[in-house]
Amino acid sequence: MSRISVRGFAVASATAVTTVGAVVGVASGSTPAVDDNNFEAAAADTTLLADIPAGQQAQVQTASLTQQADAQASAADAEAKRSAEETARIQAAKDAKSKKKAAEEKLQAEREAQEKADAERASRSAIRDASAFSAQGSYSVSDVQAMARQMIPGDQFQCFSNIVNHESSWNYQASNASSGAYGLVQALPGSKMSSAGADWQTNPATQIKWGLSYMDGRYGSPCGAWSFWQANHWY
């Protein structure tokens, strides 16, 4: 019985089984010429299916197929594991990027808040107190407004001004005979302003100081007071 080499396996006119259990198909017809050395090497490691007892041939073929299936399953498991690891790596990279972005945004927000707080402190430190103004016999509207600009934070002045415009038109001696309200911010009663200074009736700086304190304490700021005033026409 002559043997030929096909893809590295030696086969004969009957089906052959390789040393690792792979089943090689039946060779038929004419056979291509092969190198004698290759033939001898392949034939030495080959067992013919015909040489295996008939009762065991089916078992050998089944074992060969099972071995191949196991190899394919192992390869599939390895590929699945590699794919899962790659997916996990990509997701971890995305999570890390998202966390980094969130941390940067938080840091930026904290910086902006700190800068704003610093600016507000600087603004307040530049604000003059009522005692910084020398007493005068009388004050014009422009005098009173100039005082207010120096005593009230810049971002709150317009709101304070809006209220004063409606309440007294910047007349620090404005008096409401029916209610007893008095001064720039129409404190009710006017004597409330004595907590800011004994000269509350004649000194607009004292009235501004009290009005600012009242708005901050009750509404958080002059702008908070102005929002309330717009909704209710009083504050």
Side-chain angles (χ1 to χ4, degrees):
M1 181 182 293
S2 63
R3 292 177 175 175
I4 59 176
S5 177
V6 180
R7 296 182 182 177
F9 295 103
V11 301
S13 57
T15 302
V17 180
T18 69
T19 55
V20 294
V23 176
V24 180
V26 175
S28 63
S30 60
T31 58
V34 296
D35 181 77
D36 289 341
N37 292 331
N38 290 339
F39 168 78
E40 292 298 336
D45 293 331
T46 303
T47 299
L48 293 175
L49 187 62
D51 294 337
I52 299 174
Q56 298 179 13
Q57 289 181 13
Q59 296 178 359
V60 171
Q61 290 175 316
T62 300
S64 175
L65 294 174
T66 300
Q67 196 173 41
Q68 293 179 46
D70 289 344
Q72 292 173 353
S74 295
D77 289 343
E79 176 60 22
K81 182 179 179 181
R82 186 201 65 78
S83 179
E85 289 174 347
E86 179 65 11
T87 299
R89 184 191 66 78
I90 293 173
Q91 186 60 49
K94 289 181 179 179
D95 292 344
K97 185 176 181 181
S98 297
K99 289 179 180 179
K100 180 181 178 182
K101 183 179 180 181
E104 289 175 346
E105 290 176 348
K106 180 181 179 181
L107 181 60
Q108 181 62 27
E110 290 175 348
R111 285 175 179 170
E112 291 176 356
Q114 186 60 49
E115 289 173 357
K116 182 178 180 181
D118 291 342
E120 289 177 351
R121 281 195 294 270
S123 177
R124 291 192 187 99
S125 66
I127 293 171
R128 299 178 67 184
D129 187 77
S131 60
F133 299 95
S134 300
Q136 299 178 198
S138 62
Y139 302 85
S140 65
V141 169
S142 60
D143 290 337
V144 178
Q145 290 176 337
M147 286 182 179
R149 287 186 183 278
Q150 295 178 68
M151 296 177 66
I152 298 171
D155 62 341
Q156 298 294 316
F157 174 78
Q158 190 57 56
C159 294
F160 185 91
S161 178
N162 292 340
I163 293 175
V164 174
N165 277 330
H166 283 285
E167 294 293 331
S168 65
S169 298
W170 289 95
N171 178 5
Y172 68 98
Q173 293 178 318
S175 178
N176 188 316
S178 61
S179 67
Y182 185 87
L184 294 171
V185 295
Q186 289 292 281
L188 180 63
S191 58
K192 282 184 176 181
M193 294 186 288
S194 62
S195 61
D199 57 352
W200 59 271
Q201 291 176 296
T202 58
N203 190 343
T206 300
Q207 295 182 12
I208 294 168
K209 177 181 179 180
W210 183 89
L212 179 59
S213 177
Y214 171 78
M215 294 177 195
D216 284 344
R218 184 158 186 170
Y219 302 102
S221 67
C223 285
W226 172 234
S227 293
F228 184 89
W229 195 101
Q230 288 177 292
N232 301 276
H233 298 288
W234 61 274
Y235 74 110

